[in-house]
Amino acid sequence: MSGIHHVTAIAGPALRNFDFYTRALGLRFVKKTVNFDDPGTYHFYYGDEAGKPGTILTFFPWEHAAPGRGGVGQTQQTAFRVPAKSLGYWTHRFVAQGIAHEALEKRFGESVLPFTDPDGMSLALVGVPGAEDEAGWSNGDIPAEHAIRGFHGVTLLLEKAEKTSAILTDVFGFKEVAREGSIIRLTGDAREGAVVDIYEAGGFLPGRQGRGSVHHVAFRAKDDAEQAEMSRKLVEVHGQHVTEQKDRNYFRSVYFREPGGVLFEIATDDPGFAVDEPVEQLGQNLKLPAFLEKHRSDIERVLPPLTTNEVTA
């Protein structure tokens, strides 16, 4: 299955991030854990009811993070898919809730509603014909019929597209399907997270990571064997340096910096987010990997308080 597994970004205050993605966008809070490499910081996961690959947007919320700067070598925009008929509902919702957004526009024949989160992260809703036939998860006051159905895709802003495009097609199984101006569209065969647009634009300043910027984009591997084969191709065919595999509890990951400068990850589909709590209780408790459990009291003492039961039950 070729597609995006998850997108991870950097946010400001944890509570503000939580409120926006659960209450304003209606995503499910799938997992409350910590950054395994920096356990004094939360790691939030939002997605659909079960947290399927292709629906997961994750954040490192840092209370005093400096703002990021968009530019070359970064993910320029992250897009969600909604039923095509739901874009009117979402436009009215954004107006009513004072969410910064732009007018509807057309890209590759699709209707797109760009907006930003409270940290300035560039997002969009894309009206996808047929999405209304997929089950939506109702959270709060957003009816299930208008709910977000996972990722549509991401737009990468790159100086040159050729080497990145070669990796997406040869290693991850995407295919180039269209060009529109300076944007090259590649698609995979997954239902959610199947689109990568490469905006080839030389002469821009390089991006700078910070609040509101994407940290990395993760692509799907069915299991360890498929991930290993992808890593082999990256090294032997594309000359990339790939990290050793890291166990993230809910998937196993390897990382590499693609030629355009964006940090890519390959994440396994298994074991998923129900490995340490039932699906119906996802996100309600702070979950720690086994190697951090002995530090739980210290970790809980430094993390900002967060009450989640009212939106995850």
Side-chain angles (χ1 to χ4, degrees):
M1 187 70 71
S2 52
I4 293 168
H5 184 282
H6 67 267
V7 174
T8 293
I10 299 169
L15 183 57
R16 185 175 70 184
N17 178 264
F18 173 79
D19 279 341
F20 183 80
Y21 285 96
T22 59
R23 292 186 171 84
L25 296 190
L27 299 180
R28 186 170 191 192
F29 192 50
V30 171
K31 191 66 65 178
K32 179 170 64 170
T33 184
V34 296
N35 182 336
F36 290 4
D37 301 319
D38 179 14
T41 303
Y42 278 125
H43 193 174
F44 291 165
Y45 292 77
Y46 306 97
D48 71 354
E49 183 174 7
K52 294 194 306 290
T55 74
I56 296 295
L57 178 60
T58 99
F59 285 93
F60 300 132
W62 295 331
E63 296 294 306
H64 305 293
R69 181 185 68 202
V72 167
Q74 278 196 334
T75 300
Q76 184 189 39
Q77 188 173 72
T78 302
F80 298 105
R81 53 203 300 277
V82 296
K85 66 178 182 180
S86 297
L87 286 173
Y89 167 85
W90 282 100
T91 301
H92 285 292
R93 184 174 179 83
F94 288 171
V95 171
Q97 300 209 359
I99 295 171
H101 64 284
E102 300 173 25
L104 280 170
E105 59 184 66
K106 286 285 187 180
R107 295 181 203 160
F108 296 100
E110 298 171 329
S111 295
V112 180
L113 176 60
F115 66 105
T116 55
D117 80 356
D119 291 306
M121 181 176 172
S122 177
L123 300 165
L125 296 179
V126 180
V128 178
E132 64 273 14
D133 297 327
E134 303 162 13
W137 189 66
S138 181
N139 181 17
D141 61 341
I142 299 174
E145 65 181 297
H146 297 307
I148 288 172
R149 264 68 165 181
F151 288 127
H152 183 64
V154 294
T155 300
L156 310 178
L157 180 60
L158 305 180
E159 185 86 19
K160 299 289 183 183
E162 183 179 357
K163 292 182 178 179
T164 305
S165 178
I167 288 173
L168 287 165
T169 54
D170 181 44
V171 179
F172 296 147
F174 283 69
K175 295 178 181 177
E176 181 180 330
V177 294
R179 294 194 177 213
E180 190 172 275
S182 299
I183 302 177
I184 303 167
R185 170 154 291 190
L186 300 100
T187 63
D189 57 9
R191 187 172 64 183
E192 298 95 353
V195 174
V196 176
D197 288 337
I198 299 179
Y199 181 15
E200 190 178 47
F204 280 72
L205 287 172
R208 182 183 63 223
Q209 286 204 333
R211 192 176 71 235
S213 69
V214 170
H215 187 269
H216 64 263
V217 179
F219 293 89
R220 296 178 64 173
K222 179 178 63 178
D223 50 26
D224 289 344
E226 187 170 72
Q227 185 189 67
E229 174 59 15
M230 289 175 172
S231 295
R232 184 196 66 78
K233 272 190 173 181
L234 285 166
V235 174
E236 296 181 3
V237 180
H238 298 276
Q240 296 296 298
H241 171 74
V242 179
T243 68
E244 62 182 7
Q245 189 188 66
K246 298 179 184 296
D247 185 356
R248 300 310 191 188
N249 256 28
Y250 315 108
F251 43 83
R252 295 172 298 282
S253 303
V254 298
Y255 302 85
F256 68 100
R257 184 77 62 180
E258 59 86 23
V262 182
L263 183 62
F264 278 0
E265 173 182 347
I266 307 172
T268 59
D269 280 359
D270 65 328
F273 291 93
V275 69
D276 59 358
E277 56 186 342
V279 168
E280 58 272 18
Q281 295 178 15
L282 290 176
Q284 292 187 23
N285 300 297
L286 178 67
K287 308 303 292 186
L288 297 176
F291 75 95
L292 288 176
E293 276 294 347
K294 61 185 177 184
H295 302 298
R296 176 175 284 273
S297 60
D298 293 334
I299 290 170
E300 290 179 336
R301 188 166 55 249
V302 300
L303 292 174
L306 188 71
T307 301
T308 60
N309 289 349
E310 67 271 25
V311 295
T312 58

